[in-house]
Amino acid sequence: MMIRSVVVGCGSYLPERILTNADLAKMVDTSDEWIVERSGIRQRHIAADNEKTSDLAIKASQAALKNAGLTADDVDLIVLATATPDQTFPATACRVQAELGMTRGFAFDVQAVCSGFIFALATADNFIKAGQAKTALVIGAETFSRILDWTDRTTCVLFADGAGALVLRAEEGKGNTDDRGVLTTHLHSDGRHNDLLYVDGGPSSTQTTGHVRMQGKEVFRHAVVNLADVVKETLAAVDMKPEQIDWLVPHQANKRIIDGTARKLGMGTERVVLTVDHHGNTSAASVPLALAEAVADGRIKRGDVLLLEAMGGGFTWGSALVRW
Ligand code: UT7
């Protein structure tokens, strides 16, 4: 017997405003053809001026709690992944906690940029397995549009805004891969690559918020290798074969990276959840947004085995294998 973190609800929120590649072509020297060919992105959602990361997170959380048939009173842990918090401090998770009307338990943010949701999920899973939380809300939420340099065509066409959330509940499992819930998680970082993907500002260095800077080609190269490694490590840890995975739910940075990972696993596109075309790269929100979409349209069903993976600034990368 062992405690498992079983997913009992999921939800998401996307800001109303849609920015198309054609819109971007009016702002910087780019084209729909270039963006689609290099990244697979066609459009993305951008938060309204008065919409903060916490606003997106709260809407996604309310949807997830409703989907779970629970209220904020049932939650004793919030882990929120974001690289675009409302304020330098307190944690955006505490703002979400207050707005949801949750007055007990504890809430905090994790910072692993695009891998943030995987890090948050692994953290919540470990608190649950340690018996320190029973019901956890795990959120990925970003207003990445706020840290983009809208004159830099190498980054501003890629990133976007949104939020997704899962509700996890402690349940007893047998300890094998037939259990529902989080089956295994694997986290990695390598701080030597700071300069390939970073924000050129911060409270301690420049006292400004800063803008995203990325050496795209280099990040791409590392992403392909690191994601292949972590996927292999994940399957080996639970002695499963790629054929036993029902859905690959990858971080949505670039269609070419996703296709490459799927190809290495021998998984056809019919078993891959792809949202990068209409969401863009929403950093920590991308995996839960993809999950929520595939659950809502009936593709992901109870009992399915899902492989979640992501790679981002830090570098950070990781995976989670989940039986839905
Ligand atoms: O989520 C966190 C992790 N992030 C990622 O995983 C992103 C990884 N990187 C990528 O997805 C890709 O590297 C990009 C989509 C960012 C770029 O694709 P690429 O095939 O690596 O293109 P590139 O950076 O090598 O650029 C090719 C050309 C360059 O021109 P030259 O030097 O060949 O003359 C760029 O200046 O495309 C040019 N370019 C653009 N052209 C039109 C760069 N950005 C644009 C643009 N529109 N927006």
Side-chain angles (χ1 to χ4, degrees):
M1 289 299 209
M2 75 178 283
I3 299 175
R4 291 290 194 189
S5 310
V6 174
V7 180
V8 292
C10 89
S12 66
Y13 175 76
L14 286 160
E16 236 167 72
R17 183 174 162 218
I18 289 173
L19 190 71
T20 65
N21 292 351
D23 296 331
L24 281 161
K26 289 181 208 142
M27 298 159 60
V28 288
D29 181 15
T30 191
S31 64
D32 178 52
E33 295 71 30
W34 191 94
I35 302 172
V36 172
E37 191 194 308
R38 299 294 172 134
S39 72
I41 302 167
R42 294 179 185 277
Q43 62 174 52
R44 72 285 288 140
H45 292 254
I46 301 292
D49 290 346
N50 62 353
E51 255 180 336
K52 298 186 292 295
T53 294
S54 62
D55 296 317
L56 313 189
I58 289 158
K59 287 188 173 138
S61 300
Q62 286 165 337
L65 286 170
K66 189 166 177 229
N67 182 245
L70 297 175
T71 69
D73 289 334
D74 299 309
V75 178
D76 43 31
L77 166 65
I78 296 178
V79 188
L80 185 150
T82 190
T84 48
D86 290 12
Q87 295 162 280
T88 302
F89 81 79
T92 302
C94 295
R95 175 99 214 109
V96 173
Q97 179 191 27
E99 285 296 320
L100 291 176
M102 171 187 161
T103 51
R104 58 180 197 90
F106 57 110
F108 60 92
D109 288 359
V110 303
Q111 161 63 293
V113 206
C114 295
S115 314
F117 186 78
I118 303 291
F119 277 59
L121 183 62
T123 303
D125 177 45
N126 282 321
F127 271 103
I128 286 176
K129 285 197 294 204
Q132 294 184 2
K134 288 220 155 14
T135 306
L137 193 55
V138 185
I139 310 164
E142 301 277 14
T143 48
F144 236 72
S145 61
R146 303 274 154 75
I147 55 166
L148 292 175
D149 173 354
W150 288 99
T151 65
D152 175 10
R153 69 174 183 174
T154 69
T155 52
C156 77
V157 303
L158 303 172
F159 295 95
D161 304 337
L166 295 187
V167 184
L168 303 179
R169 201 171 53 199
E171 283 183 18
E172 216 152 78
K174 291 198 181 66
N176 62 35
T177 53
D178 292 336
D179 288 345
R180 285 186 66 212
V182 178
L183 300 175
T184 186
T185 59
H186 300 267
L187 305 182
H188 295 275
S189 64
D190 185 346
R192 290 174 300 175
H193 302 296
N194 181 94
D195 294 353
L196 298 180
L197 177 51
Y198 66 101
V199 164
D200 61 5
S204 177
S205 53
T206 59
Q207 296 81 56
T208 62
T209 308
H211 293 112
V212 177
R213 303 295 170 204
M214 179 166 76
Q215 310 247 353
K217 220 184 210 21
E218 283 301 305
V219 177
F220 189 105
R221 211 168 52 79
H222 280 91
V224 169
V225 174
N226 291 343
L227 291 173
D229 285 352
V230 80
V231 156
K232 214 187 279 173
E233 178 190 357
T234 308
L235 292 176
V238 290
D239 197 20
M240 283 177 90
K241 304 243 164 331
E243 305 86 85
Q244 293 170 278
I245 303 167
D246 295 295
W247 291 100
L248 177 66
V249 189
H251 170 48
Q252 308 284 325
N254 187 314
K255 185 175 183 299
R256 289 185 289 143
I257 298 176
I258 295 171
D259 288 346
T261 306
R263 205 162 39 239
K264 284 197 182 117
L265 284 165
M267 293 178 73
T269 50
E270 71 288 349
R271 283 159 67 208
V272 179
V273 180
L274 192 84
T275 52
V276 70
D277 55 333
H278 53 290
H279 291 172
N281 182 347
T282 57
S283 181
S286 95
V287 169
L289 273 169
L291 273 174
E293 184 173 291
V295 168
D297 67 21
R299 276 179 288 169
I300 292 177
K301 294 184 182 65
R302 189 177 166 134
D304 282 354
V305 175
L306 318 181
L307 178 56
L308 323 180
E309 44 86 333
M311 149 93 191
F315 288 149
T316 54
W317 64 102
S319 67
L321 194 73
V322 179
R323 187 179 289 280
W324 198 253

